[in-house]
Amino acid sequence: MQNFAKQISIFYRHVHIKADNTSRDPNKIRPEWFSHEICFRNLLDTVKSDKLGHRVKIIIVYDGVIDDFTADFMANYYADQSLGLNIQFIKGGSDLNSFLITLGLAKSTKINDDDLVYFLENDYLHQYGWVTKVFELFESGYQVDYVSLYDHRDKYHYPMYQDLTAKLVYSQSHHWRTSPSTCASFMLMQKTLDQDYEILSSGVTDFYFFSKLIGEKGRILLTPLPGLATHSMEGYLSPTIDWQQIAQKAYG
């Protein structure tokens, strides 16, 4: 008998804005509505308002020192005990190192084999209802190993994807498509993390480890149609969604 996921543990990778502007990618062009705090507040709101939000746990993985944290907007949210946030301090110093350390944290955390781990970067905005739709997908009976909530705009326009084909499936209230890769914000079951840890932690970029997981290991990656989240980069937002309106709701 198949066991269904009962919980999502979000490992939310965050770094002080001064480090994000230097050690990460300072050339990202952001939408006018963007801020890291808006993305985090949106995450809290979309979880809290969801009928299954009580099955979500958020662990902040803070890449930095205590002094930076106390001056970060994140400290105010962590201090609000009603939010039930957990925190882990790490010393990554780069996006890749931060990801690898977070992988190790998730692998060593006591999470049931069939529960979900969501690795999430701090510049994603989510649609309301995403939590329920994720649980619906994993209860649908389809083979699904990895899920990204981001509908990649580049896969519709880049020449390298002009011959890309996809299989479409549907869960109770949403459509999904297979995808050959995604960014470093994705979810999977804990048992899949254990099985694929060697590839995920090999030190290559997300495009390359997904190419290996899907091309060589036969893993299935699904992304939603339309997107349930977006990477907040101008020109790359998940299409057909008014993300500015969703961002504004975070401070409604």
Side-chain angles (χ1 to χ4, degrees):
M1 182 176 178
Q2 183 177 1
N3 293 319
F4 296 126
K6 297 180 176 65
Q7 180 172 296
I8 301 173
S9 294
I10 303 176
F11 288 81
Y12 191 86
R13 293 197 291 130
H14 184 64
V15 64
H16 194 280
I17 187 62
K18 70 178 185 181
D20 190 69
N21 282 337
T22 55
S23 66
R24 304 299 171 88
D25 184 354
N27 299 313
K28 289 179 181 176
I29 301 175
R30 302 294 194 179
E32 290 184 3
W33 49 258
F34 172 80
S35 77
H36 291 93
E37 185 172 5
I38 283 175
C39 288
F40 187 67
R41 190 178 180 98
N42 160 266
L43 177 66
L44 296 177
D45 287 351
T46 55
V47 169
K48 182 180 179 180
S49 65
D50 198 288
K51 65 182 180 181
L52 299 181
H54 61 283
R55 292 162 60 178
V56 177
K57 179 181 180 181
I58 300 175
I59 303 100
I60 302 162
V61 182
Y62 193 86
D63 187 359
V65 296
I66 295 290
D67 287 346
D68 284 345
F69 180 73
T70 57
D72 195 297
F73 73 82
M74 188 67 74
N76 294 326
Y77 294 94
Y78 179 64
D80 184 349
Q81 295 185 3
S82 69
L83 297 177
L85 301 173
N86 293 281
I87 191 165
Q88 290 277 354
F89 286 91
I90 66 170
K91 294 182 179 180
S94 70
D95 187 41
L96 177 58
N97 286 341
S98 169
F99 175 69
L100 294 175
I101 294 170
T102 304
L103 277 176
L105 285 174
K107 190 175 186 301
S108 63
T109 299
K110 292 183 178 179
I111 298 172
N112 292 331
D113 281 352
D114 292 309
D115 283 342
L116 296 169
V117 175
Y118 186 8
F119 296 107
L120 181 58
E121 297 159 287
N122 66 351
D123 57 353
Y124 277 70
L125 197 71
H126 289 73
Q127 280 216 66
Y128 288 79
W130 72 266
V131 176
T132 291
K133 290 178 184 291
V134 165
F135 283 119
E136 288 174 353
L137 174 62
F138 278 90
E139 293 171 3
S140 67
Y142 294 116
Q143 179 186 350
V144 50
D145 302 302
Y146 290 83
V147 171
S148 167
L149 301 184
Y150 178 33
D151 183 19
H152 290 252
R153 183 181 291 263
D154 57 290
K155 288 183 171 59
Y156 298 97
H157 302 292
Y158 276 21
M160 65 183 291
Y161 296 122
Q162 64 180 354
D163 296 322
L164 179 64
T165 59
K167 179 180 179 180
L168 297 180
V169 299
Y170 63 90
S171 52
Q172 184 174 333
S173 63
H174 213 81
H175 285 84
W176 305 80
R177 60 172 283 178
T178 55
S179 180
S181 65
T182 189
C183 302
S185 289
F186 59 89
M187 67 182 71
L188 71 170
M189 285 187 171
Q190 179 74 7
K191 62 184 177 185
T192 307
L193 173 61
D194 290 338
Q195 293 164 3
D196 293 351
Y197 185 77
E198 184 176 352
I199 294 174
L200 290 167
S201 63
S202 60
V204 298
T205 62
D206 41 47
F207 177 85
Y208 289 105
F209 66 64
F210 272 112
S211 296
K212 191 174 185 68
L213 288 167
I214 295 168
E216 297 182 18
K217 202 166 183 178
R219 293 301 197 186
I220 301 295
L221 165 65
L222 295 182
T223 59
L225 293 172
L228 295 173
T230 189
H231 194 188
S232 301
M233 291 178 61
E234 195 62 56
Y236 293 89
L237 302 178
S238 292
T240 77
I241 306 298
D242 187 344
W243 292 108
Q244 182 173 359
Q245 183 180 53
I246 293 174
Q248 290 171 344
K249 191 173 180 179
Y251 281 97

